[in-house]
Amino acid sequence: MFKDLDPLLHSQLRLSIVSILMTVEEASFNFIKDTTNASSGNISIQIKKLQEGGYIQVKKSFMNNYPNTTVSLTKKGIDAFETYVNNLKQYINPA
């Protein structure tokens, strides 16, 4: 009856990052940092895990001579988030 929840998305910060990315085409590292109030180091670690899982795409560039990192969801990431939410609904309302 209850389906397993995706362990990659079951981390609060990773779930927050993916939730943010579901609402925008792409987001800058600083936007994610400001929105989640997490440390840069922790965000970097979680972004790397999501990237390794194929859930997000990371683009690094320079803007006004400063490094600029943007992230966006992949199709796999969107599908994983939607499945996670649907599975979680079964826990909230098992009827």
Side-chain angles (χ1 to χ4, degrees):
M1 178 172 172
F2 292 107
K3 295 184 179 174
D4 289 339
L5 297 176
D6 185 333
L8 195 55
L9 293 178
H10 206 58
S11 150
Q12 183 176 345
L13 184 52
R14 288 192 297 268
L15 182 59
S16 297
I17 292 167
V18 173
S19 295
I20 290 166
L21 294 174
M22 286 294 291
T23 66
V24 296
E25 195 170 313
E26 67 179 16
S28 70
F29 183 92
N30 288 332
F31 178 79
I32 293 170
K33 183 176 180 231
D34 292 343
T35 305
T36 62
N37 289 318
S39 70
S40 295
N42 199 0
I43 292 170
S44 292
I45 290 166
Q46 303 314 322
I47 284 176
K48 184 173 183 181
K49 288 180 181 182
L50 288 167
Q51 183 181 25
E52 289 171 350
Y55 289 9
I56 64 171
Q57 177 180 335
V58 178
K59 289 191 282 184
K60 294 185 179 275
S61 61
F62 283 90
M63 184 180 287
N64 298 327
N65 288 335
Y66 291 100
N68 184 42
T69 300
T70 57
V71 294
S72 58
L73 281 173
T74 62
K75 172 78 168 107
K76 181 179 180 180
I78 293 168
D79 291 345
F81 179 81
E82 290 173 346
T83 299
Y84 181 88
V85 169
N86 288 329
N87 290 346
L88 187 58
K89 286 178 183 176
Q90 293 177 350
Y91 286 83
I92 295 167
N93 186 12

